[in-house]
């Protein structure tokens, strides 16, 4: 607030007397209930200068007494009587103190004639924010970040669970589009939103419950990846019977088969799957569904196809059918399920996405000595998460940019990969510069194994008899309802979009669950257990909060924890390099309590009314 004076209780009268000497006139006063205290703001208007209003702000605990300024400004008596009446603020020494009684008639001395109606202060309006709008799962990001900053970890976790069921998973593997849209991304460093989500999960508990009555309706879900598990979670909470059919030996879909355990520990994955099962969801593993019609005959009233994108894409070069050339999906799946995979010392990974990074880092953990990623564009166009790329480089992965495979040579059991140098041309359909081969720039590299990581695609069985898109093996589903071409059959996740992110699959599955519930006769209302969280009252504009966060060190004390707000994003503690390659232990160790609180305090709260 511009031109404000902050005073303690004892300093109120001297501050007001000084303004009287300067011939300022009292205009009005405001009172704000801050929960355990009140803030009273007196607004003064200068009479002999063009200066703006002056505001004296005083904060008192609810058991304290505010000294009246009515002996200095008589008009303050009416204002302070209003504050006393509406907010029960204890004020001593009001010149005309009605003691909470306004005008009364002689005939009815106890009848209150002009007492104002009870007034409940309205909470500040909350604005749409960039981080929240960028989140496919629709999480209330500013609120859960603020709650962590206040040391309220359980309330923060409950806020996250209002919008998304798997904070332990997404707190580790989400690609965090919210952080790219954080206002601080351009000014300083974005808030560590993803790692704060993980912190809430790791440091608090949440009691799941089903409040809806059982409907007697049954839903079959094909696939136990993030889309299938999310839909099962919400449909079970809506009271429906849910069975998940999974072709793999264990549940989790690509969460288990495609994401190495050094990024997503199996205990975290297993715990969150167990949480879904505890809601009454049945998961049948090693069960491949061949016919949707059979499921209807078995008594299911609705089906969700969430089979993901488990089909690798070929390199499209001569000689790639060699047994030492493998698809990254097959490679990561075999490792995830404990199969022995022999790569040799020299490994070439082709691709630039997260699957390529995961394959390269996994190869190092399996004992390969020389692991190189071959990518046809530059680092700037690489679709993999930048943090994952940095960690791969730290661990010893080499990256050969502007190069693409041309041919696989084989002789006496050994293989070599012939590559060609590339240059960047005009943008292609992906809006990235098109890589173009440089004639005569071929070079050959002797390797022991090649891992193709250039993409994945869904594989939808023909016997499902549902409409498939023209440009790929994806299911055609209506954007608003996720309904397919057959009545009662819905689809979500990578099976519809092609390879996307975990959080996008979660967001789509939430909407699919709504549509399935409506199809089964429900209202399509997601079950959300409301939590009681008191939002802050802010008189600051966003720019003032921004300036405050940049220029002022703020200290808070919450229980036994005392921290100071940092102006920089905390560096994630991680497993030492020398301990990483001996196994698949989690690399990111999580923020400490002090780091998380400080990071929560660093948020500018641009969701508050400006």
């Amino acid at each position: 607030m511009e031109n404000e004076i902050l005073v303690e209780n004892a300093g109120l009268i001297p501050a007001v007397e000084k303004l009287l000497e300067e011939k300022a006139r009292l205009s009005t006063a405001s009172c704000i209930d801050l929960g355990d205290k009140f803030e009273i703001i007196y607004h003064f208007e200068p009479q002999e200068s063009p200066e703006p209003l002056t505001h004296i702000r005083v904060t008192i605990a609810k058991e304290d007494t505010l000294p009246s300024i009515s002996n200095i400004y008589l008009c303050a008596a009416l204002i302070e009587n209003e504050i006393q009446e509406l907010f029960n603020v204890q004020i001593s020494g009001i010149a005309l103190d009605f003691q909470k009684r306004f005008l009364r008639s002689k005939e009815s001395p106890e009848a209150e004639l002009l007492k104002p109606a009870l007034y409940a202060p309205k909470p500040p309006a909350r604005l749409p924010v960039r981080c929240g709008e960028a989140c496919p799962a629709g999480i209330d990001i500013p609120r859960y970040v603020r709650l962590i900053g206040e040391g309220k970890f359980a309330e923060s976790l409950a806020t996250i669970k209002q919008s998304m069921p798997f904070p332990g998973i997404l707190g580790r593997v989400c690609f965090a589009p919210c952080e790219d849209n954080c206002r601080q991304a351009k000014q300083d460093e974005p808030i560590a939103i993803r790692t704060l989500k993980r912190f809430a999960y790791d440091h608090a508990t949440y009691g799941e419950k089903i409040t809806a009555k059982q409907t007697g309706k049954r839903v079959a879900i094909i696939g136990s990846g993030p889309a299938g598990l999310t839909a099962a979670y919400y449909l079970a909470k809506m009271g429906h019977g849910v069975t998940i059919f999974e072709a793999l030996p264990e549940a989790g879909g690509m969460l288990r088969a495609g994401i190495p355990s050094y990024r997503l520990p199996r205990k975290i994955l297993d715990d969150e799957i167990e949480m879904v099962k505890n809601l009454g969801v049945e998961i049948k593993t090693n069960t491949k569904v061949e016919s949707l019609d059979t499921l209807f005959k078995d008594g299911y009233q609705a089906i969700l196809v969430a089979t993901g994108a488990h089909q690798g894409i070929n390199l499209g070069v001569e000689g790639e059918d060699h047994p030492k050339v493998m698809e990254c999906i097959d490679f990561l799946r075999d490792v995830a399920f404990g199969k022995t995979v022999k790569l040799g010392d020299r490994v070439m990974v082709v691709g630039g996405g997260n699957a390529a990074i995961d394959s390269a880092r996994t190869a190092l953990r399996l004992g390969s000595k020389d692991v190189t990623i071959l990518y046809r564009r530059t680092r700037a166009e690489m679709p993999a998460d930048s943090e994952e790329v940095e960690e791969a480089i730290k661990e010893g992965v080499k990256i050969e940019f502007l190069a693409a495979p041309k041919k696989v040579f084989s002789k006496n059991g050994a293989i070599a990969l012939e590559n060609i140098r590339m240059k960047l041309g005009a943008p292609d359909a992906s809006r990235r510069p098109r890589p173009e081969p440089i004639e005569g720039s071929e070079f050959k590299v002797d390797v022991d194994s090649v891992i193709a990581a250039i993409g994945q695609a869904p594989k939808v069985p023909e016997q499902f008899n549902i409409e498939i898109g023209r440009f790929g093996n994806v299911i055609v589903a209506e954007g608003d309802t996720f309904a397919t071409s057959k009545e009662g059959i819905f689809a979500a996740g990578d099976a519809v979009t092609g390879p996307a992110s975990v959080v996008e699959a979660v967001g789509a599955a939430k909407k699919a669950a709504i549509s399935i519930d409506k199809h089964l006769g429900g209202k399509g209302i997601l079950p959300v257990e409301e939590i009681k969280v008191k939002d802050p009252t802010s008189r600051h504009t966003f720019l003032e909060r921004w300036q405050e966060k940049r220029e002022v060190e703020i200290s808070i004390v919450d229980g036994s924890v005392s921290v100071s707000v940092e102006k920089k994003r905390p560096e994630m503690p991680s497993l030492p390099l020398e301990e990483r390659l001996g196994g698949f232990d989690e690399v990111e160790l999580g923020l400490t309590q002090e780091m998380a609180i400080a990071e929560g305090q660093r948020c500018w709260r641009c969701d508050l009314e400006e």
Side-chain angles (χ1 to χ4, degrees):
M1 188 177 295
E2 185 180 7
N3 213 27
E4 62 182 18
I5 302 171
L6 278 69
V7 299
E8 300 292 337
N9 203 344
L12 174 62
I13 300 299
V16 173
E17 288 175 338
K18 186 174 184 299
L19 287 178
L20 178 65
E21 293 173 3
E22 296 172 357
K23 299 185 177 180
R25 179 172 58 194
L26 175 65
S27 297
T28 186
S30 308
C31 183
I32 301 171
D33 188 338
L34 298 177
D36 60 342
K37 55 190 174 182
F38 293 112
E39 182 174 60
I40 297 89
I41 309 172
Y42 293 94
H43 309 279
F44 294 87
E45 179 182 3
Q47 298 185 70
E48 297 183 355
S49 72
E51 294 295 320
L53 291 176
T54 298
H55 314 277
I56 295 181
R57 292 170 52 184
V58 57
T59 302
I60 63 168
K62 288 200 169 175
E63 62 272 12
D64 290 346
T65 300
L66 179 75
S68 171
I69 67 168
S70 60
N71 61 334
I72 305 172
Y73 290 93
L74 184 58
C75 61
L78 290 175
I79 297 170
E80 290 176 339
N81 265 291
E82 285 282 310
I83 291 174
Q84 184 176 242
E85 175 74 16
L86 297 178
F87 292 89
N88 289 322
V89 176
Q90 300 177 54
I91 303 176
S92 63
I94 303 179
L96 299 172
D97 190 351
F98 295 113
Q99 294 295 313
K100 299 188 179 182
R101 298 180 182 180
F102 282 74
L103 299 181
R104 304 175 187 280
S105 66
K106 292 181 180 179
E107 293 80 8
S108 305
E110 298 302 318
E112 302 177 23
L113 301 180
L114 299 178
K115 182 177 179 180
L118 292 177
Y119 170 71
K122 292 178 64 176
R126 298 187 67 215
L127 307 174
V129 285
R130 298 176 185 177
C131 58
E133 291 180 328
C135 177
I139 303 173
D140 190 346
I141 293 170
R143 178 174 278 146
Y144 90 71
V145 168
R146 171 180 64 82
L147 288 168
I148 289 177
E150 295 174 355
K152 299 176 180 177
F153 308 145
E155 291 89 340
S156 176
L157 179 60
T159 299
I160 297 167
K161 294 284 284 191
Q162 286 183 314
S163 305
M164 184 271 294
F166 307 120
I169 293 171
L170 282 176
R172 287 166 166 82
V173 304
C174 184
F175 76 111
C178 50
E179 294 184 17
D180 292 335
N181 285 269
C182 175
R183 261 177 157 157
Q184 297 198 54
K186 296 187 183 297
Q187 297 291 337
D188 294 299
E189 294 177 305
I191 300 300
I193 298 170
R194 176 182 67 83
T195 52
L196 287 178
K197 186 186 296 104
R198 168 190 169 154
F199 176 87
Y201 176 82
D202 290 348
H203 290 78
T205 58
Y206 180 80
E208 297 287 350
K209 57 185 177 181
I210 297 179
T211 57
K213 294 181 180 179
Q214 294 300 304
T215 65
K217 303 294 177 63
R218 299 173 64 207
V219 182
I221 296 177
I222 308 172
S224 65
L229 290 171
T230 299
Y233 172 88
Y234 284 111
L235 288 167
K237 285 204 160 192
M238 290 173 173
H240 304 304
V242 181
T243 302
I244 297 177
F245 298 89
E246 172 56 61
L248 293 173
E250 296 181 58
M254 197 61 78
L255 294 171
R256 189 180 300 276
I259 301 178
S261 57
Y262 65 81
R263 287 179 58 204
L264 178 57
R266 293 305 176 245
K267 184 181 187 311
I268 302 298
L269 177 59
D270 292 342
D271 285 351
E272 299 225 84
I273 292 174
E274 192 65 24
M275 175 270 296
V276 174
K277 293 169 67 175
N278 289 339
L279 295 175
V281 174
E282 181 183 10
I283 302 179
K284 295 184 177 182
T285 55
N286 287 313
T287 306
K288 187 175 182 180
V289 175
E290 301 287 352
S291 169
L292 302 182
D293 291 335
T294 300
L295 292 176
F296 283 127
K297 291 178 182 178
D298 290 341
Y300 294 99
Q301 285 89 14
I303 299 170
L304 175 69
V305 181
T307 47
H310 292 257
Q311 183 74 29
I313 296 176
N314 294 332
L315 292 174
V317 301
E318 182 182 346
E320 69 172 315
D321 56 348
H322 193 281
K324 291 186 177 180
V325 179
M326 62 192 77
E327 299 286 348
C328 74
I329 296 303
D330 297 333
F331 166 63
L332 292 172
R333 184 189 301 120
D334 287 347
V335 174
F337 288 105
K339 293 185 178 180
T340 300
V341 181
K342 296 182 179 179
L343 296 174
D345 287 339
R346 299 165 300 175
V347 178
M348 181 75 75
V349 180
V350 181
N354 284 332
I357 301 296
D358 287 341
S359 297
R361 296 177 72 185
T362 297
L364 287 176
R365 284 161 173 76
L366 293 180
S368 297
K369 308 299 183 186
D370 185 354
V371 180
T372 302
I373 291 175
L374 194 72
Y375 181 55
R376 59 182 183 162
R377 292 185 173 93
T378 70
R379 172 73 182 270
E381 292 81 34
M382 210 170 187
D385 294 346
S386 60
E387 292 179 358
E388 294 298 315
V389 176
E390 287 298 324
E391 292 302 316
I393 293 172
K394 286 181 186 178
E395 292 174 1
V397 174
K398 294 177 285 188
I399 305 179
E400 184 84 47
F401 293 107
L402 290 171
K406 189 175 182 182
K407 185 178 180 180
V408 177
F409 289 92
S410 174
K411 186 177 181 180
N412 298 327
I415 63 172
L417 189 63
E418 182 181 77
N419 308 305
I420 188 168
R421 302 289 180 190
M422 311 293 283
K423 62 181 180 179
L424 297 182
D428 60 14
S430 69
R431 298 182 180 178
R432 294 176 295 172
R434 182 189 302 277
E436 299 173 350
I438 300 174
E439 187 176 349
S441 66
E442 290 84 356
F443 64 100
K444 189 181 293 186
V445 180
D446 292 328
V447 295
D448 294 311
S449 298
V450 175
I451 300 175
I454 62 172
Q456 301 88 247
K459 186 177 181 180
V460 183
E462 291 184 8
Q463 57 267 36
F464 279 11
N465 294 321
I466 51 180
E467 185 180 353
I468 302 299
R470 290 189 303 161
F471 304 106
N473 196 25
V474 295
I475 300 171
V476 175
E478 294 182 9
D480 294 333
T481 66
F482 292 84
T484 70
S485 57
K486 292 187 69 173
E487 179 72 18
I489 299 175
F490 301 80
D494 290 359
V496 175
T497 62
S501 67
V502 175
V503 70
E504 287 169 315
V506 169
K510 283 177 61 177
K511 297 174 183 176
I514 292 172
S515 294
I516 292 171
D517 182 60
K518 289 180 178 178
H519 173 76
L520 297 175
K523 296 181 179 179
I525 300 175
L526 291 177
V528 175
E529 289 83 41
E530 292 294 338
I531 58 172
K532 294 182 179 180
V533 177
K534 186 174 181 60
D535 279 317
T537 301
S538 174
R539 297 156 312 283
H540 293 65
T541 66
F542 158 69
L543 289 177
E544 287 172 321
R545 288 194 299 275
W546 168 70
Q547 199 74 13
E548 180 182 84
K549 293 291 185 184
R550 287 173 61 87
E551 295 183 354
V552 180
E553 290 290 341
I554 304 172
S555 295
I556 68 167
V557 177
D558 189 285
S560 61
V561 180
S562 178
V563 301
S564 295
V565 173
E566 298 289 343
K567 295 190 177 80
K568 295 187 67 176
R569 178 185 173 109
E571 184 175 346
M572 169 65 78
S574 61
L575 198 66
L577 286 173
E578 61 271 17
E579 298 180 23
R580 296 187 188 184
L581 303 187
F584 284 81
D585 290 345
E586 186 173 18
V587 170
E588 292 188 345
L589 302 180
L591 300 179
T592 66
Q593 188 166 313
E594 292 80 7
M595 293 166 71
I597 292 176
E599 183 67 357
Q601 285 284 319
R602 197 168 66 89
C603 176
W604 285 341
R605 293 312 312 277
C606 41
D607 62 314
L608 293 181
E609 186 175 24
E610 300 183 6

